[in-house]
Every structure is written in structure tokens, then in C-alpha cells.
Amino acid sequence: MTKIDTVRYIGETSPLELTHGKIYKVLSVERGWYRIVDDTGEDYLYPAGNFEIID
């Protein structure tokens, strides 16, 4: 399995959570969800379908 380091959020902007088009660092992949540090500065799990992988 390929390690995923960075992703771009492609969903709608959610104030204080995620910003459309912003690149986020993936801390881990857990059961198909990405653990990332969002705009609040805390890490949370988000569904992988809301992101595109950045090479």
C-alpha cells in the first residue's frame, strides 16, 4: 500500500474545519478515513472521498 502524505480538500468549505482547495498533511489512514490537522489546529478523521491525493 502506498503511503499518503498530502491531500487536497475538494469538498465545500466548512468554517473552522476544512477549506476547499487547501492542502493538508495526512497523519494516518484509519479504516479508509484520513487523520489530518484541520483549520482548528486539532487532528480529526475525515472521509477519504473528500480529498484528492497530491504526489
Side-chain angles (χ1 to χ4, degrees):
M1 180 176 218
T2 304
K3 184 175 183 327
I4 299 169
D5 290 319
T6 54
V7 292
R8 177 179 290 122
Y9 181 60
I10 55 175
E12 290 191 30
T13 295
S14 255
L16 298 178
E17 287 183 22
L18 299 168
T19 303
H20 177 79
K22 185 173 177 179
I23 295 173
Y24 295 92
K25 180 170 177 47
V26 177
L27 302 177
S28 65
V29 179
E30 303 173 28
R31 296 183 180 184
W33 290 52
Y34 296 155
R35 181 170 297 280
I36 64 168
V37 175
D38 66 13
D39 296 345
T40 67
E42 299 292 326
D43 64 285
Y44 294 100
L45 288 170
Y46 291 98
N50 291 339
F51 299 87
E52 69 178 0
I53 297 170
I54 304 297
D55 291 333

